[in-house]
Amino acid sequence: MIRSLRSQLDARQQGKADAAIRKLKDNTEVLGIGPVPESLCAAIKERYLTAPLAWAVMVPVAVIQWLLFYRLMNNLLVDELPQHAPQWLVDDLTGKAPGSVTSGAAWIQFARDWVLGISYLLIMRRTMVYLAMTFNLRAFMFERVDRWADLIGECAEVVRAPSVHERHHHGPSLRFAILRVRGAAWSRGTVRSFDWQRRITLRRHAFRVVAALREARGEFVTDPKSAAKRLGELTLTISERYVDRRVDMLLDEGDIGEAGRSRPRGEALQLAISAVLLAVIALVASAFHLPVPITMAAVVITVAVVYRSAVAAGLGVLAALSPLFFPGK
């Protein structure tokens, strides 16, 4: 019975892989950027065939790791921290959530949750990369290829659109594709844990690749059809280079051009600036009893100024921070 279920599952995943490959080939043909490299087709196939096993491994590992992490952090805060920290800090860190989000305890607990959450995600990320490399779970590695294939499909929809209005309406979103570009180096398992110099080099290259994608996306305003072909071509190149483990050359210098020459702004710095400015707006709004529309308009304008062209990232930060600083609004 188990063998029969496994055969059915494999057949189902094989069907999904074939459909995804066929769709990608159709989209590249529409864009005129083919053919699709065989290595890319093989990566998509492995992504689907190893997906059930990857989920079967990831879920229990994530649960066990969370329980161990929670127990460790709880022991540190409850047992060890009182011996080395003032009592007021211990009370703020281990007490109940305060009623006001502008109190000192609220800020301390916000910082606590932020540090613990980021720490757990970083540990979990490294664990998944290790498992993927050790047990050949290609679903983790090649999930990014699937997302980039979706972007190529969105570009093809622009070309298929019969009118200019519909081409603007079907404009592709770079949000998920950009996130996959930024994390391409670590997910491919090509960087050692403490090779900081290489990490910095790859991070700079990823920023330049993201800038090139955004520049191509910006051309949709003037010529959607040509811009869709250009963006699809860049995405196909990124996918092929990623599969071939060339994460330090996802795009050639000629493809990046002038877009990647500006200095990157640290995302962590942008997030910190947004948090500080939203806190200031919250305090001012509370002190002067500003109407809700004016307060929220100031919040949106502030986030837009900080993130500028990276509006998708700004909206994510706005959605995450607004309930903390403006509860009930």
Side-chain angles (χ1 to χ4, degrees), residues 65-109:
Q65 199 165 38
W66 168 252
L67 293 176
L68 294 175
F69 181 79
Y70 178 82
R71 183 174 181 179
L72 175 63
M73 292 299 103
N74 185 67
N75 290 339
L76 288 176
L77 291 175
V78 176
D79 299 333
E80 299 296 331
L81 186 64
Q83 303 177 19
H84 308 283
Q87 188 60 39
W88 66 267
L89 180 59
V90 176
D91 294 339
D92 288 344
L93 285 173
T94 59
K96 294 182 179 181
S100 174
V101 296
T102 58
S103 64
W107 281 102
I108 292 176
Q109 292 187 10

Side-chain angles (χ1 to χ4, degrees), residues 231-250:
L231 183 58
E233 184 178 15
L234 294 177
T235 307
L236 184 64
T237 301
I238 292 171
S239 302
E240 181 183 6
R241 302 280 178 84
Y242 175 79
V243 171
D244 294 338
R245 301 174 67 92
R246 298 172 62 186
V247 293
D248 57 344
M249 191 58 68
L250 293 174

Side-chain angles (χ1 to χ4, degrees), residues 280-313:
V280 172
I281 293 175
L283 292 173
V284 172
S286 176
F288 293 94
H289 305 287
L290 296 179
V292 174
I294 295 178
T295 303
M296 297 314 297
V299 168
V300 173
I301 292 173
T302 299
V303 173
V305 170
V306 172
Y307 281 86
R308 298 184 182 181
S309 59
V311 64

Side-chain angles (χ1 to χ4, degrees), residues 220-271:
F220 275 75
V221 178
T222 56
D223 191 350
K225 195 170 182 178
S226 298
K229 293 181 179 180
R230 172 64 175 164
L231 183 58
E233 184 178 15
L234 294 177
T235 307
L236 184 64
T237 301
I238 292 171
S239 302
E240 181 183 6
R241 302 280 178 84
Y242 175 79
V243 171
D244 294 338
R245 301 174 67 92
R246 298 172 62 186
V247 293
D248 57 344
M249 191 58 68
L250 293 174
L251 288 177
D252 295 328
E253 288 296 325
D255 292 327
I256 294 176
E258 298 290 335
R261 295 191 177 181
S262 59
R263 183 180 179 182
R265 298 182 64 187
E267 296 174 22
L269 179 60
Q270 287 179 314
L271 179 60

Side-chain angles (χ1 to χ4, degrees), residues 70-200:
Y70 178 82
R71 183 174 181 179
L72 175 63
M73 292 299 103
N74 185 67
N75 290 339
L76 288 176
L77 291 175
V78 176
D79 299 333
E80 299 296 331
L81 186 64
Q83 303 177 19
H84 308 283
Q87 188 60 39
W88 66 267
L89 180 59
V90 176
D91 294 339
D92 288 344
L93 285 173
T94 59
K96 294 182 179 181
S100 174
V101 296
T102 58
S103 64
W107 281 102
I108 292 176
Q109 292 187 10
F110 172 76
R112 176 203 64 188
D113 296 340
W114 180 263
V115 171
L116 293 180
I118 294 298
S119 300
Y120 172 75
L121 291 177
L122 290 175
I123 294 172
M124 191 64 200
R125 185 175 72 172
R126 296 307 307 174
T127 302
M128 290 300 104
V129 172
Y130 172 78
L131 292 175
M133 296 296 295
T134 304
F135 299 103
N136 201 31
L137 301 178
R138 299 302 179 92
F140 292 135
M141 296 182 187
F142 296 143
E143 183 272 341
R144 296 168 188 274
V145 175
D146 217 23
R147 299 286 76 78
W148 291 327
D150 290 341
L151 178 58
I152 294 175
E154 293 180 24
C155 293
E157 289 300 321
V158 173
V159 175
R160 291 190 183 102
S163 65
V164 175
H165 173 73
E166 292 189 16
R167 287 171 186 167
H168 284 286
H169 177 71
H170 291 293
S173 171
L174 297 181
R175 178 175 54 181
F176 295 112
I178 285 177
L179 290 175
R180 268 60 180 188
V181 169
R182 288 171 175 165
W186 69 260
S187 67
R188 197 63 181 91
T190 58
V191 185
R192 294 190 298 271
S193 298
F194 299 101
D195 192 350
W196 302 115
Q197 187 60 43
R198 179 165 170 77
R199 285 178 178 274
I200 293 173

